Amino acid sequence: MNLSFTALVAVLLSWHPACGAEPTVADETVAYEQVAPIFKKYCVGCHNLDDHEGELSLESFADIQKGGEHGRAVLPGQSVSSRLIRVLRGQSKPAMPPKDEPQPSRADVALLAAWVDAGARGPAGAEPDRSRLIVPKIKPTKKFRPAITAVEYAPDGKTIAVARFGEVALLQSVERPPLKKFVGFPGKVNAVSFARDGAWLVVATGKAGLIGEARIFEAATGKLVRTVTSHRDTLYDAIVDPAGKILATASYDRRIILWDVETGRQIRTLSGHNGAIYDLAFSPDGKVLASASGDETIKLWRVETGERLDTLGQPLAEQYTVAFSPDGRYIAAGGADNRIRLWRFVSKEKPQINPLVHARFAHEGAILRIAFVRESGWISSVADDGTLKVWTGELLMVKNYQRQPSVAHAMAVFPGGDSMMIGRMDGSLASYAIPDAVDRFTANRRRGRGVATQRPTATAAETEPNDAAADAQPIVIPATVTAAINPAGANEDVDLFRFEIRERDDWDWMIEINAARSKSPLDSKVEVLDTQGKPVPRVTLQAVRDSYFTFRGKDSKTSGDFRVHNWEEMELNQYLYANGEVVKLFRDPLGPDSGFSVYPNSGNRFGFFGTTPISHALHEICYIVKPLQIGEPLVSNGLPAFRINYENDDDPLRKWGVDSRLIFRAPAAGTYYARVTDARGFGSPNHKYTLTIRPRRPDFKVTLHGGSPKIPAGSGKKFHVAAERIDGYDGEIRVDITGVPPGFHVTTPLVIEAGHLTAHGSIHALPDASQPTKEQAGAIKVTASANAKFYDGEFLTTSAIVTADDTDQLEGNVVRQVNNLGEIKLEPRPPLLATLSPPDAKWSLAAAADEGRQVKLVELSIAPGQTITATLRIERHGHKGLASFGNAEAGWNLPHGIFVDNIGLNGVLIPDGVTERTVFITAAKWVRPQTRTFFLESKQSGNQCTWPVVLNVVRSEDVD
């Protein structure tokens, strides 16, 4: 340093904690090398070439001279006028650094001021090399083995590269000394890989906050082939594409750079991640690059153009590792959200949504590395909780190894797939055998013939070969066949079964797969083909309105918050088509900060026309579509039309997981083929399944929930009835409740509307009701009935009715028994009572109950497209504070398309000290005339309900 000892003492002695004055520096020349560390420590994090806030970079002397958006930051010889010094002293706004960042000491600021006053001279020679800047070294207090940071097998499996801080060793085995060592790296080696069939060794290294560096060596000789340094922070990965022509590097600086290996020239920079990039992977053909980032996403890039093909946004936390399956059909990733995710890789040539196939909570700690076990499609994973596991391609656990003695950051699978090497933070290496099942699995894939499982109930067993139409196995339907998807060689296994539909047959058939439900790893897909081997078309969907997903993408499960552009022009019960999936709109958004819910309105959403729900990205195109029967004229409107075939991947009702279920209506008598495959192309002798083709028999069951209620005197409680719809029955179901004890009132009948799964009712007690006896409770009877004409929600059909012991057919109806309401218990009056009445009338329970203890309910009328009002009143019998009556679900048992309106995000609220408010009720334009009873439910005081209100939906012309 040029600052003398005397001057330094003067700086330190001039400042005292009790004194606000800034220390001064003796009148001597201050060199740039003395102030550069201050810039680096406090300023360069925000003021650098990559992130130059205020258009100012302080990373180098040349940058400082350029200044920023306010002009020159430093005026040589004038520290009192230099903006740099003034913002550090708080004399100009904004004061720097920000309050939540580390602050330079007064001595630091005094030194900078002295440098400016001395002329703000630059470095004596060339600007210091970032890679050579000194990083303090701290000696350990005891001997230790350096941590292993990365491991990788050579393609031939004869050597393994082991990386530690500042070095990489090539080993033949753990026990033997290294064959070769590569040393002299500037910092921690974060990744190693082999390229050009093992001829090259690629090393990713660097210094945190200073530089990222990638080096390529000849593995055999140790000769340095290429060094690239352009990143501004340490590298986490560096890999060469399969052709050996392009090097990809990824860094903490949030950039990916592609390099020409031969020349060292930068080809392009891939920008778009908002966090550090931890891992890279090339697709097997080298055309696509995948990147895993701290911004909680995986991104896919087209190498040739740099175009972003997709952002896989399902992860919930930082992603540390990503890999392509060896066959290039899948992408797997893991990270801090403890999950392994598997996507089907489809965006190979153009931007497309890559559907999420599986997501598995795999470890209790962050997942650090994953790798595909070659040829098998299985995956190994290691996490920072010390666990090491192997998974099938369906993410079913095969092996959970003994917990690691130290955190394992490094993992590599032996090219043969029978073992893997683990490198740990304590410097130790360990090899683990991968279960023998994998060997049997891969061997059977090579030998591959379908394996028929023998079951007592099987009508037939699969016979191979049956991969082609000429070899299709004939079956006589109804039929049950046991089989397996077990590929021969590199080909996928395809099972074809030929069956005949005769004119006298009922042409509605259920085609079902039982695999996952029986613990098989098969992710089945079933298709129906015609005599030409072509898919049989099911329906044509003509787009009538285009849209796209806004605010965020959509996962593959939830039925709520579908936010789409121009939603105000859409109607409930319309079909929405997005990338092969079809859903049906159930409930309108509550406003601009919410979205549609789709059928069934809760839980996993349904797929319509046999389609499978998948994930959708932000801004993905979608359409409102109109179903047309095959052959129906298609009038062009400038929007596309989509043909949906008779095929299914996962059960559209989401009850059978990945098992397939399909309703097939043959367009004509003739020969058809059922084609069964694994949706991901996997297979093994264990990929067993049972195929059933049987007549479709629409049916239903109803269950009452909320039985044995405790009813406060003068108030009521909610219950609901739920329908299980069988074989595509989608019609209306009526539920009647009779035999309720005297003094009690129950909502009856309840109607589960067509396509819906639930209806809600309430049971109330008069203020003077008596405690019901067990005999009275036993007299309550609940029945469910439906018209004998069933339809499947697509086109009206008439089908045979299944009969059972608990079924009666009366006057063209199917009647089924439902579980009892149970024993009713009467409780004291609650501290809150609520009523709903017309705005110009006040309804009271005492006035409404006649001498026969029958209650005349309030009635309201509404027409389609109309909004009416009612008054919600509460009686406070000890209840203080807010009274809430719900938001999206306010108005229980209203007809579909009628809802409580104008409630905002907080719902229906009555503040403390207030006893009433106006409630708005709106009906959509398409709601049909009907009569229903509905009620509101308080969220306080034991969830009390208002007495039900009769709502009459009338024709528009009947309204004044």
Side-chain angles (χ1 to χ4, degrees):
M1 295 180 63
N2 295 332
L3 186 64
S4 68
F5 176 78
T6 304
L8 180 61
V9 170
V11 170
L12 296 176
L13 293 180
S14 64
W15 176 79
H16 187 274
C19 178
E22 184 180 284
T24 60
V25 176
D27 186 19
E28 294 190 19
T29 300
V30 180
Y32 174 73
E33 286 79 3
Q34 295 171 251
V35 297
I38 300 176
F39 289 131
K40 176 62 184 174
K41 183 175 182 180
Y42 299 106
C43 309
V44 171
C46 295
H47 297 282
N48 56 68
L49 291 177
D50 295 325
D51 187 14
H52 47 293
E53 291 190 12
E55 300 182 12
L56 175 66
S57 173
L58 301 176
E59 193 166 3
S60 68
F61 180 72
D63 296 335
I64 294 172
Q65 287 183 304
K66 294 176 183 177
E69 63 181 6
H70 296 286
R72 299 181 65 183
V74 171
L75 300 175
Q78 304 178 50
S79 65
V80 294
S81 301
S82 295
R83 181 171 177 79
L84 174 68
I85 304 302
R86 292 183 62 81
V87 297
L88 289 172
R89 290 171 171 167
Q91 297 168 339
S92 294
K93 301 297 182 182
M96 288 290 169
K99 292 182 179 180
D100 56 349
E101 297 291 339
Q103 302 293 313
S105 67
R106 290 185 176 87
D108 290 331
V109 176
L111 191 62
L112 288 169
W115 172 68
V116 174
D117 287 333
R121 297 189 178 120
E127 192 82 32
D129 185 349
R130 289 171 55 84
S131 65
R132 301 294 179 257
L133 293 178
I134 297 174
V135 176
K137 294 183 179 180
I138 301 174
K139 292 184 178 181
T141 57
K142 59 182 180 180
K143 288 186 177 182
F144 68 98
R145 290 183 295 180
I148 295 174
T149 54
V151 294
E152 184 64 35
Y153 277 104
D156 60 7
K158 294 181 179 180
T159 57
I160 184 170
V162 179
R164 304 175 191 269
F165 188 93
E167 71 172 40
V168 178
L170 289 185
L171 307 176
Q172 278 188 321
S173 68
V174 176
E175 296 81 14
R176 296 183 181 181
L179 296 172
K180 191 180 302 299
K181 274 194 174 184
F182 304 83
V183 296
F185 299 105
K188 177 184 173 185
V189 176
N190 287 309
V192 290
S193 60
F194 286 91
R196 290 197 174 178
D197 295 328
W200 287 354
L201 178 69
V202 186
V203 180
T205 181
K207 289 184 180 180
L210 296 176
I211 192 171
E213 181 177 288
R215 298 184 188 180
I216 302 176
F217 299 90
E218 289 182 354
T221 65
K223 178 183 176 182
L224 181 63
V225 176
R226 181 74 57 205
T227 299
V228 296
T229 55
S230 186
H231 289 277
R232 317 192 72 78
D233 214 313
T234 191
L235 293 189
Y236 283 112
D237 203 7
I239 57 174
V240 173
D241 73 332
K245 296 181 178 180
I246 296 176
L247 170 69
T249 56
S251 167
Y252 187 83
D253 67 6
R254 301 178 291 181
R255 294 187 301 160
I256 302 168
I257 300 179
L258 302 183
W259 311 78
D260 186 308
V261 173
E262 296 297 334
T263 65
R265 177 182 62 87
Q266 287 191 35
I267 301 173
R268 63 180 55 88
T269 297
L270 307 179
S271 300
H273 278 297
N274 296 318
I277 301 166
Y278 295 111
D279 197 23
L280 298 173
F282 277 108
S283 61
D285 61 8
K287 294 182 178 180
V288 176
L289 181 71
S291 54
S293 171
D295 64 7
E296 306 179 7
T297 69
I298 305 295
K299 294 186 185 294
L300 304 179
W301 313 84
R302 185 170 175 79
V303 175
E304 183 180 3
T305 62
E307 179 184 19
R308 191 188 311 167
L309 298 173
D310 194 11
T311 296
L312 310 180
Q314 292 89 348
L316 306 174
E318 295 90 339
Q319 294 296 284
Y320 298 138
T321 177
V322 63
F324 283 92
S325 62
D327 60 8
R329 301 181 63 184
Y330 297 92
I331 304 164
D337 59 359
N338 318 112
R339 290 163 173 81
I340 299 175
R341 289 178 175 83
L342 193 71
W343 291 268
R344 185 178 294 112
F345 177 40
V346 297
S347 60
K348 300 179 181 181
E349 301 293 338
K350 60 182 180 179
Q352 284 183 269
I353 300 303
N354 298 271
L356 182 67
V357 180
H358 293 292
R360 176 75 63 192
F361 187 95
H363 298 265
E364 293 184 10
I367 298 168
L368 303 177
R369 304 300 300 173
I370 60 171
F372 276 92
V373 179
R374 296 185 182 278
E375 296 187 15
S376 68
W378 290 17
I379 297 171
S380 59
S381 61
V382 65
D384 68 4
D385 62 356
T387 55
L388 172 65
K389 300 179 182 181
V390 173
W391 309 82
T392 68
E394 296 79 17
L395 296 184
L396 302 175
M397 190 168 65
V398 175
K399 176 77 172 178
N400 186 4
Y401 296 86
Q402 186 176 2
R403 190 174 294 270
Q404 299 294 301
S406 178
V407 174
H409 273 285
M411 178 181 68
V413 175
F414 184 74
D418 58 359
S419 65
M420 54 185 164
M421 186 70 73
I422 300 297
R424 309 186 182 109
M425 289 294 291
D426 63 5
S428 62
L429 275 171
S431 179
Y432 291 87
I434 293 175
D436 293 341
V438 177
D439 295 331
R440 293 196 299 270
F441 177 84
T442 55
N444 287 335
R445 279 178 65 101
R446 297 186 191 100
R447 289 194 299 267
R449 282 294 179 189
V451 178
T453 57
Q454 299 296 329
R455 294 188 179 184
T457 59
T459 302
E462 180 191 15
T463 58
E464 289 277 9
N466 63 348
D467 292 46
D471 300 322
Q473 180 176 343
I475 58 175
V476 178
I477 59 174
T480 299
V481 184
T482 55
I485 297 297
N486 187 25
N491 298 324
E492 292 184 23
D493 187 18
V494 175
D495 290 347
L496 280 170
F497 302 94
R498 186 176 72 248
F499 59 94
E500 301 290 333
I501 295 288
R502 296 166 297 192
E503 289 187 6
R504 65 176 180 271
D505 285 337
D506 181 347
W507 287 357
D508 282 7
W509 295 86
M510 297 300 300
I511 303 178
E512 302 168 339
I513 298 290
N514 186 330
R517 288 171 292 153
S518 299
K519 309 303 180 183
S520 168
L522 180 72
D523 182 354
S524 64
K525 180 179 180 180
V526 63
E527 305 164 82
V528 180
L529 310 180
D530 62 16
T531 54
Q532 306 299 318
K534 297 180 180 179
V536 178
R538 178 174 187 166
V539 65
T540 298
L541 302 177
Q542 182 175 25
V544 296
R545 180 170 290 109
D546 60 338
S547 183
Y548 57 86
F549 288 89
T550 63
F551 183 65
R552 60 181 167 222
K554 199 80 198 107
D555 63 20
S556 62
K557 294 183 178 180
T558 54
S559 59
D561 204 21
F562 266 69
R563 302 200 190 189
V564 292
H565 175 64
N566 201 22
W567 63 268
E568 297 89 345
E569 295 183 4
M570 301 177 186
E571 294 285 355
L572 301 187
N573 289 333
Q574 288 184 325
Y575 292 106
L576 181 74
Y577 175 94
N579 196 23
E581 177 188 358
V582 183
V583 297
K584 193 175 182 181
L585 304 182
F586 185 93
R587 174 181 288 144
D588 282 322
L590 296 178
D593 294 324
S594 65
F596 283 106
S597 66
V598 300
Y599 279 76
N601 189 43
S602 62
N604 292 341
R605 67 179 181 266
F606 290 170
F608 286 79
F609 305 104
T611 61
T612 298
I614 59 176
S615 299
H616 304 284
L618 177 64
H619 297 151
E620 180 182 320
I621 299 296
C622 56
Y623 300 91
I624 294 295
V625 293
K626 175 184 177 182
L628 303 174
Q629 296 193 53
I630 298 300
E632 186 174 345
L634 184 66
V635 179
S636 177
N637 60 3
L639 294 175
F642 309 94
R643 190 178 79 169
I644 304 296
N645 299 321
Y646 279 107
E647 61 181 42
N648 177 249
D649 182 356
D650 301 338
D651 170 28
L653 298 183
R654 318 307 294 279
K655 293 181 180 179
W656 290 1
V658 298
D659 283 347
S660 304
R661 171 159 47 183
L662 180 66
I663 298 175
F664 173 53
R665 181 170 307 148
T671 300
Y672 295 90
Y673 298 87
R675 184 178 189 267
V676 182
T677 56
D678 184 280
R680 303 145 307 167
F682 294 160
S684 78
N686 293 326
H687 283 61
K688 303 172 182 178
Y689 67 92
T690 300
L691 167 68
T692 300
I693 304 179
R694 61 175 178 80
R696 174 181 174 233
R697 299 190 181 279
D699 200 357
F700 67 91
K701 295 179 181 178
V702 173
T703 304
L704 186 147
H705 299 270
S708 301
K710 297 178 180 179
I711 311 298
S715 186
K717 284 294 185 72
K718 180 183 68 177
F719 65 92
H720 76 276
V721 289
E724 177 186 354
R725 298 181 178 275
I726 301 169
D727 281 11
Y729 172 62
D730 210 17
E732 185 178 277
I733 302 171
R734 169 175 165 149
V735 179
D736 290 275
I737 303 174
T738 59
V740 177
F744 289 84
H745 180 277
V746 68
T747 306
T748 186
L750 291 172
V751 175
I752 303 175
E753 296 188 58
H756 290 221
L757 300 181
T758 58
H760 293 82
S762 62
I763 181 167
H764 288 74
L766 290 169
D768 60 349
S770 301
Q771 190 72 251
T773 64
K774 290 185 178 181
E775 292 74 15
Q776 288 174 324
I780 301 174
K781 185 177 181 181
V782 185
T783 58
S785 60
N787 191 278
K789 287 188 176 182
F790 290 77
Y791 65 96
D792 63 5
E794 296 172 26
F795 308 109
L796 191 63
T797 64
T798 301
S799 300
I801 303 300
V802 65
T803 58
D805 293 340
D806 61 346
T807 302
D808 297 315
Q809 287 185 249
L810 302 174
E811 298 179 357
N813 285 343
V814 174
V815 181
R816 292 198 173 279
Q817 301 302 313
V818 182
N819 59 299
N820 204 325
L821 188 60
E823 185 177 352
I824 301 172
K825 293 185 178 180
L826 185 66
E827 293 193 334
R829 184 186 67 182
L832 175 69
L833 290 174
T835 60
L836 194 64
S837 62
D840 55 352
K842 186 172 182 179
W843 181 88
S844 69
L845 181 60
D850 59 22
E851 294 182 357
R853 308 183 80 190
Q854 299 297 313
V855 178
K856 182 175 177 57
L857 299 177
V858 173
E859 293 196 24
L860 297 171
S861 294
I862 191 170
Q866 185 185 27
T867 296
I868 63 172
T869 60
T871 300
L872 174 63
R873 295 182 176 90
I874 60 173
E875 298 177 21
R876 299 178 183 269
H877 300 282
H879 175 79
K880 296 181 180 180
L882 188 73
S884 170
F885 290 83
N887 41 39
E889 295 290 352
W892 292 101
N893 207 47
L894 281 167
H896 186 53
I898 299 181
F899 55 95
V900 177
D901 203 355
N902 196 30
I903 60 175
L905 296 177
N906 296 319
V908 179
L909 301 177
I910 297 182
D912 187 20
V914 180
T915 58
E916 67 178 54
R917 68 161 287 173
T918 299
V919 175
F920 297 85
I921 302 169
T922 296
K925 296 178 181 179
W926 47 265
V927 178
R928 63 180 177 83
Q930 59 188 293
T931 297
R932 293 280 289 270
T933 56
F934 77 100
F935 57 94
L936 272 62
E937 178 190 36
S938 167
K939 301 304 179 184
Q940 290 80 33
S941 187
N943 299 93
Q944 306 305 309
C945 299
T946 66
W947 277 77
V949 174
V950 176
L951 182 67
N952 299 302
V953 183
V954 299
R955 296 175 301 176
S956 299
E957 54 266 30
D958 294 334
V959 178
D960 294 334

